[in-house]
Amino acid sequence: MLLRLHEQLLGLDPGYQLDDLKEKLGIARIRITGTTALAYIEMQTLVTVAEEQSATVCEFCGAPARRRRRGDTTEGWIKAVCDNCYRDWSHHTIMIINGSVRRGPNTAQRHLGS
């Protein structure tokens, strides 16, 4: 999704700049700067679509997902998580550290058995 967005943005404005990329409340937050006002308006439309799509992609494996909280409670972190990764995330045995998915001990066996 992000690579496709990057290619689309380059097509509109080869000089665009990525100012910020983060996840908040289970959705990607993307901030860019364009070199022309007209291109920037079109670019913002593409960014908005990509941000909305990010809420439907698992942050851990890329499978179809939905925004959820650990344990499906009413409080706490919200992430876009698929059904397969959800249990491990709820049990704190899967996490993202510096952009890489990390699993705790014995998580792979439990994950494959689900």
Side-chain angles (χ1 to χ4, degrees):
M1 175 195 66
L2 291 176
L3 182 56
R4 181 177 7 154
L5 174 63
H6 171 65
E7 291 169 353
Q8 292 171 328
L9 294 175
L10 283 175
L12 291 172
D13 183 352
Y16 93 92
Q17 182 175 7
L18 177 65
D19 297 322
D20 191 26
L21 173 61
K22 63 185 174 186
E23 175 271 331
K24 186 173 182 179
L25 301 174
I27 300 174
R29 306 295 182 180
I30 304 164
R31 301 292 170 254
I32 58 168
T33 303
T35 57
T36 68
L38 182 58
Y40 181 75
I41 292 168
E42 293 179 56
M43 292 167 52
Q44 274 306 124
T45 300
L46 293 173
V47 166
T48 299
V49 169
E51 288 176 336
E52 290 170 359
Q53 289 175 344
S54 73
T56 65
V57 177
C58 181
E59 295 180 34
F60 299 104
C61 71
R66 63 186 172 97
R67 294 173 59 224
R68 312 170 79 160
R69 296 179 192 269
R70 282 190 170 119
D72 285 327
T73 63
T74 58
E75 297 179 4
W77 291 100
I78 299 173
K79 286 207 169 291
V81 183
C82 71
D83 290 339
N84 286 332
C85 293
Y86 176 71
R87 184 174 63 192
D88 289 340
W89 177 65
S90 286
H91 289 101
H92 300 270
T93 55
I94 186 174
M95 62 188 80
I96 298 174
I97 300 174
N98 294 327
S100 296
V101 176
R102 304 287 171 93
R103 294 184 178 277
N106 302 319
T107 304
Q109 290 176 341
R110 189 169 55 248
H111 183 69
L112 292 174
S114 54

